[in-house]
Amino acid sequence: MAKPLTMELLSSPLLSLDEIGSALTGLSVTVRISTSGVTHAPQCRQVGKRTPAEETMTARELRARGEVRPCRTCGGALVEELSRAQAEQFEKLVPILERRREQAREAELARREVERRTSRADAIDERASDIVNGWDRAIGKRRAFTGPAEPRVALVPCDDCDAEAAISFDPRSLEVSYACPSDPEHGFHALGDGLKPLALWPHSGANQWIALGLVAPVIAGDDDAWAATYGTRADDYRATLSAMEAFDRAHPPRLRLAPDVRCGDCGGPLVASPERGMGRRRIEAHYTCDRRHEDGRFRHYEKRVVDGEIDWSLHRRLHEHPSWAAAAELEPDPEEVAAYTAELERKIALFDACAGAAKSVDNLVRMRARLVERFAFASKVRDEGALNAAGLTRYTPYAHRWAFSELARALLTSRVDVNAQFVTVATPFDEGTPLRRLLRTREIRGELADLRERQEELERELAHLEAES
């Protein structure tokens, strides 16, 4: 390994300014710096025509300009001659820099090996997904099995009952199947009259990753890339969901950032899903009830329509009392908001500790993104106040097409029930609620005070007129 040149050591990001020392960083260097960040000595034959003129500065000032790369032909600069003490310091730093260079090379090789292994694992995972979802029967003609041909089976809790169901993979027929001993229709969703029921388990949830865990090792053969990358994915996925559920049970949310929207048929919570896709393949943002109802179907409602109904209902209630939208009583306790923000930060850390090989699962990616978004917004509420963050301090019922924010809907509603026929909105200032009585009492007292003031003005005016006559 060649000994590093003076400029290589002085400009290397592998050494800090403190490690190099003021004696060396104070050296004068005369350089020409190209637009690509390569430094040259003034007379270097590698200097391009557009390279700026030479400059003289200290090594510290050069490093302050950002990362640079010394030219290997000329050494990178014309450096002031080193004193004996500076030369001794330089010799001490050489082995440190060489060791760190070697470590950096090893880290880069390890990173590239991980990339290659992940690429192979992704290819195997994609082929296994084709089989699990039944999208590519021709895959059997493109590879030979190196493992046993016997069916592989995993036992899982049934999605629709308490029985122990089985996911099976037959390497010969490339069939992946799901069977519940209690009912053969469990785990499937009817698409309509005369259509084959759609298996729900391959497309979402932990069972999808369990099924892939049966198929992928057979596809991989002797290649351990998939096992090293995704071997614990199903377990990590379930562990992450369990950890999140346990955290939520131990730390009930102290602040609602979105309205409590419920299924009008079963009373269960409706989960908001964002818009996905583009063009004709776009799926509108919607509210979904994940419970299977008596008709065998789930419930889906366009979020735009439901939110519009909520906003219209709130406008109707606030039209005569717009000041109620920014009532101080709606502001959450600042200590509760701060505690909620801290809990979200801990929840994100717990998520990262559990996700492991499942961190790239779409469901978990979206879950973490929502957590981060919720944490950022909770921090804003903590710093600015909920009414300001929700935009309620600017509310006017006369604005053209005013739309409430999610936080505003959360603060102004107690519960929203939705079904195919109606959207029912309950608010904290409905008839008979304590907040309505408080706000209306305050409003009436204010109106009476204004009337008394007006009465006094009129009485003074009347007395003045009578005195003149």
Side-chain angles (χ1 to χ4, degrees), residues 63 184 333 339 352 412 424 469:
R63 287 173 64 104
D333 181 2
D352 292 340
L412 298 177
T424 303
S469 59

Side-chain angles (χ1 to χ4, degrees), residues 5 116 122 131-132 156 210 249 315 326 356 429 453 465:
L5 300 173
R116 287 191 291 267
D122 287 342
I131 292 177
V132 169
V156 298
I210 292 173
R249 287 193 299 271
H315 280 303
F429 37 75
E453 184 177 349
L465 292 174

Side-chain angles (χ1 to χ4, degrees), residues 234-283:
D235 292 336
D236 292 343
Y237 179 83
R238 287 181 294 189
T240 303
L241 293 184
S242 297
M244 296 297 99
E245 291 171 359
F247 189 95
D248 289 340
R249 287 193 299 271
H251 305 86
R254 301 168 184 261
L255 174 68
R256 277 198 298 115
L257 301 181
D260 182 14
V261 184
R262 297 278 174 166
C263 176
D265 295 326
C266 70
L270 292 182
V271 180
S273 299
E275 179 183 307
R276 298 197 302 273
M278 297 179 61
R280 294 183 178 180
R281 303 186 65 181
R282 184 181 64 184
I283 300 176

Side-chain angles (χ1 to χ4, degrees), residues 312-327:
W312 178 82
S313 181
L314 291 175
H315 280 303
R316 187 180 61 180
R317 285 169 167 81
L318 294 170
H319 187 268
E320 299 298 329
H321 312 279
S323 64
W324 291 5

Side-chain angles (χ1 to χ4, degrees), residues 405-428:
S405 66
E406 284 289 281
L407 179 59
R409 297 186 188 112
L411 295 173
L412 298 177
T413 62
S414 304
R415 174 168 170 155
V416 179
D417 289 281
V418 182
N419 68 14
Q421 288 76 39
F422 60 80
V423 176
T424 303
V425 180
T427 75

Side-chain angles (χ1 to χ4, degrees), residues 173-250:
S173 64
L174 299 181
E175 290 286 343
V176 183
S177 58
Y178 178 96
C180 173
S182 298
D183 190 330
E185 294 186 0
H186 283 182
F188 297 84
H189 177 56
L191 294 177
D193 295 338
L195 295 178
K196 182 180 179 181
L198 172 69
L200 296 177
W201 60 272
H203 304 290
S204 63
N207 287 349
Q208 175 186 10
W209 314 116
I210 292 173
L212 285 171
L214 297 177
V215 177
V218 178
I219 298 291
D222 295 332
D223 190 344
D224 65 350
W226 187 91
T229 306
Y230 297 122
T232 61
R233 180 170 55 189
D235 292 336
D236 292 343
Y237 179 83
R238 287 181 294 189
T240 303
L241 293 184
S242 297
M244 296 297 99
E245 291 171 359
F247 189 95
D248 289 340
R249 287 193 299 271

Side-chain angles (χ1 to χ4, degrees), residues 3-258:
K3 178 180 176 180
L5 300 173
T6 306
M7 266 298 291
E8 287 182 299
L9 188 145
L10 293 177
S11 63
S12 176
L14 299 176
L15 294 172
S16 68
L17 286 172
D18 290 339
E19 288 176 316
I20 295 174
S22 58
L24 290 177
T25 56
L27 287 169
S28 295
V29 295
T30 302
V31 295
R32 296 184 67 182
I33 308 173
S34 70
T35 55
S36 60
V38 178
T39 64
H40 301 272
Q43 304 303 320
C44 179
R45 63 176 183 273
Q46 301 293 336
V47 174
K49 294 181 179 179
R50 297 185 180 181
T51 302
E54 65 186 64
E55 301 177 74
T56 299
M57 65 192 79
T58 65
R60 179 183 293 272
E61 292 170 338
L62 177 63
R63 287 173 64 104
R65 293 195 176 191
E67 189 172 340
V68 294
R69 293 173 290 113
C71 170
R72 295 290 294 180
T73 301
C74 66
L78 186 60
V79 183
E80 175 187 351
E81 185 176 351
L82 274 63
S83 67
R84 182 174 179 179
Q86 289 170 333
E88 290 176 354
Q89 174 66 8
F90 183 88
E91 292 299 326
K92 292 178 182 178
L93 291 172
V94 168
I96 298 175
L97 178 59
E98 290 178 342
R99 184 168 62 253
R100 291 185 183 174
R101 278 178 167 180
E102 184 61 30
Q103 291 170 346
R105 276 191 288 270
E106 291 174 356
E108 177 62 18
L109 289 174
R111 185 189 66 81
R112 292 181 182 180
E113 176 56 30
V114 169
E115 285 185 350
R116 287 191 291 267
R117 186 175 66 220
T118 303
S119 179
R120 299 200 312 273
D122 287 342
I124 294 168
D125 205 54
E126 183 178 356
R127 295 171 69 188
S129 296
D130 289 340
I131 292 177
V132 169
N133 293 287
W135 292 335
D136 188 3
R137 298 303 183 195
I139 193 170
K141 300 177 181 179
R142 298 202 301 265
R143 58 102 177 92
F145 292 119
T146 58
E150 293 79 13
R152 296 165 56 86
V153 181
L155 299 178
V156 298
C158 178
D159 290 334
D160 298 308
C161 69
D162 296 329
E164 192 174 62
I167 299 175
S168 305
F169 170 54
D170 186 344
R172 294 187 182 279
S173 64
L174 299 181
E175 290 286 343
V176 183
S177 58
Y178 178 96
C180 173
S182 298
D183 190 330
E185 294 186 0
H186 283 182
F188 297 84
H189 177 56
L191 294 177
D193 295 338
L195 295 178
K196 182 180 179 181
L198 172 69
L200 296 177
W201 60 272
H203 304 290
S204 63
N207 287 349
Q208 175 186 10
W209 314 116
I210 292 173
L212 285 171
L214 297 177
V215 177
V218 178
I219 298 291
D222 295 332
D223 190 344
D224 65 350
W226 187 91
T229 306
Y230 297 122
T232 61
R233 180 170 55 189
D235 292 336
D236 292 343
Y237 179 83
R238 287 181 294 189
T240 303
L241 293 184
S242 297
M244 296 297 99
E245 291 171 359
F247 189 95
D248 289 340
R249 287 193 299 271
H251 305 86
R254 301 168 184 261
L255 174 68
R256 277 198 298 115
L257 301 181

